[in-house]
């Protein structure tokens, strides 16, 4: 057996033609399909009390039920009492607006810790649409100037007075501009694959529950990347089946392994060839 090397240059022009062949927008669903159990979660998220604090009215009957539970409760634990006392403040009191704002800030700080103990937010699914982007051939390959539309479903649960109140929220499509994606190149023998990683697709979620407005930022970038990495790298080139007979010889030419290196004009594919 003898070895040699062949070099192949993948130019930006060729890469652009390949990108033009892709049907956009590309749609990504995390997870691919939801399991039958209704309590599926991609992960928990931190919460904060929104600047406006109290929600403008109650979002639905579940919020009203939460308040009724409070008003009828006689044996609340300490953290429930803290929140209950906040509910007793009259939002229409005669205090000047400036005084209400200062008091609201105090409420937010006081209520955040007890709310964190009784309220949880879990991400259920993420759906993404990616428009045709630009790119830079490098290692990793940089997909840039992406317009990403993202939709999220999340579940908020409150446990209080021995009761559990659950609400499901689904956002509208949220448009993110100038986002980036890295495609890490992996080689194994004569095969080349890429592993995608988004750099910034985080969004702020807003919701109301228990008569208060909340925000949550669930770290969607890391959650999406984790799920994509579980799926593994996807193959873009396979030369393992390539073999070419050599004239006047019983030997054949095969690709033994591949090494990829960036170049000013694109990517150089260094193919170690074997003759056997």
């Amino acid at each position: 057996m003898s070895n040699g090397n062949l070099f192949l240059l993948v130019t930006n022009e060729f890469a652009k033609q390949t990108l033009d062949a892709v049907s956009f927008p590309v749609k990504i669903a995390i997870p691919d399909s939801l399991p039958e159990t209704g309590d599926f979660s991609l992960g928990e998220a931190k919460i904060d009390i929104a600047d406006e604090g109290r929600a403008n009215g109650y979002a639905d009957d579940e919020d009203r039920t939460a308040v009724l539970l409070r008003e009828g409760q006689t044996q609340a634990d300490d953290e429930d009492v803290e929140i209950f006392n906040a509910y007793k403040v009259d939002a229409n009191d005669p205090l000047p607006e400036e005084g209400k704002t200062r008091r609201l800030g105090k409420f937010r700080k006081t209520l955040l810790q007890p709310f964190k103990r009784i309220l949880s937010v879990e991400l259920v699914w993420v759906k993404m649409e990616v428009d045709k982007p630009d790119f830079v051939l490098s290692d990793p390959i940089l997909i840039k100037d992406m317009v990403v539309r993202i939709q999220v479903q999340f579940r908020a649960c409150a446990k209080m007075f021995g009761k559990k109140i659950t609400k499901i929220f689904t956002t509208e499509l949220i448009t993110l501009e100038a986002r980036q994606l890295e495609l890490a190149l992996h080689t194994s023998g004569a095969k080349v694959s890429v592993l995608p990683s988004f750099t910034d697709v985080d969004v702020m979620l807003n919701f109301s529950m228990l008569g208060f407005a909340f925000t949550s930022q669930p770290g969607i970038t890391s959650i999406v990347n984790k799920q994509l990495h579980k799926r593994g790298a996807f193959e873009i080139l396979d030369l393992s089946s390539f073999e070419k007979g050599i004239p006047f010889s019983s030997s054949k030419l095969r690709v033994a392994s591949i090494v990829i290196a960036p170049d000013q004009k694109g990517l150089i594919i260094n193919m170690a060839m074997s003759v056997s």
Side-chain angles (χ1 to χ4, degrees):
M1 177 184 292
S2 59
N3 294 308
N5 289 76
L6 289 178
F7 296 89
L8 177 67
L9 175 63
V10 179
T11 65
N12 288 292
E13 290 75 14
F14 175 76
K16 184 178 183 303
Q17 291 176 11
T18 303
L19 185 65
D20 289 341
V22 177
S23 297
F24 287 96
V26 171
K27 296 184 179 182
I28 302 171
I30 304 292
D32 285 326
S33 59
L34 288 175
E36 295 181 0
T37 56
D39 57 351
F40 175 78
S41 171
L42 288 170
E44 291 193 13
K46 296 180 179 179
I47 65 165
D48 198 356
I49 299 178
D51 290 340
E52 61 268 29
R54 295 177 68 91
N56 294 324
Y58 302 118
D60 54 28
D61 289 339
E62 288 180 329
D63 277 340
R64 286 192 289 271
T65 301
V67 178
L68 292 174
L69 283 171
R70 291 186 161 287
E71 293 173 346
Q73 180 66 30
T74 58
Q75 295 179 343
D77 58 27
D78 291 340
E79 63 192 34
D80 289 332
V81 170
E82 290 182 73
I83 304 174
F84 178 71
N85 288 336
Y87 269 110
K88 294 194 298 184
V89 176
D90 184 2
N92 298 314
D93 64 29
L95 271 179
E97 193 62 34
E98 183 179 351
K100 291 182 181 180
T101 301
R102 286 197 301 268
R103 190 176 64 182
L104 180 57
K106 183 179 179 180
F107 284 159
R108 292 180 67 235
K109 184 176 180 180
T110 302
L111 291 174
L112 185 56
Q113 289 307 316
F115 267 132
K116 284 183 176 180
R117 291 195 292 270
I118 69 166
L119 184 62
S120 64
V121 172
E122 297 176 318
L123 198 63
V124 179
W125 53 252
V126 179
K127 295 180 180 179
M128 304 171 66
E129 296 180 356
V130 181
D131 288 345
K132 184 177 179 180
D134 198 356
F135 65 90
V136 176
L137 285 182
S138 56
D139 187 9
I141 298 172
L142 177 63
I143 307 299
K144 64 177 185 175
D145 298 334
M146 291 192 307
V147 174
V148 179
R149 289 177 296 279
I150 186 168
Q151 186 179 34
V152 177
Q153 185 175 99
F154 61 100
R155 177 173 53 244
C157 297
K159 296 179 181 179
M160 48 196 296
F161 309 135
K163 305 288 185 178
K164 182 178 180 180
I165 301 171
T166 300
K167 293 177 66 176
I168 301 293
F169 300 88
T170 303
T171 70
E172 300 292 333
L173 283 173
I174 303 168
T175 300
L176 306 176
E177 298 182 346
R179 293 309 192 257
Q180 293 185 347
L181 171 73
E182 291 184 349
L183 298 176
L185 292 165
H186 296 269
T187 59
S188 176
K191 298 180 180 180
V192 179
S193 57
V194 293
L195 187 66
S197 297
F198 286 93
T199 59
D200 182 12
V201 288
D202 288 338
V203 297
M204 184 70 73
L205 306 176
N206 300 282
F207 66 99
S208 63
M209 197 164 185
L210 308 176
F212 282 80
F214 296 92
T215 62
S216 178
Q217 191 166 6
I220 292 176
T221 301
S222 60
I223 291 173
V224 168
N225 287 338
K226 181 179 179 181
Q227 294 296 316
L228 290 177
H229 293 174
K230 281 184 178 180
R231 299 177 185 180
F234 58 92
E235 193 176 281
I236 59 172
L237 181 65
D238 183 3
L239 297 177
S240 60
S241 61
F242 172 84
E243 60 178 35
K244 179 66 176 177
I246 300 174
F248 310 107
S249 170
S250 61
S251 298
K252 293 183 178 181
L253 186 68
R254 296 181 175 86
V255 179
S257 62
I258 291 176
V259 175
I260 299 179
D263 182 82
Q264 290 182 348
K265 296 182 179 180
L267 290 174
I268 293 178
I269 299 179
N270 182 352
M271 296 177 289
M273 310 301 295
S274 66
V275 178
S276 59

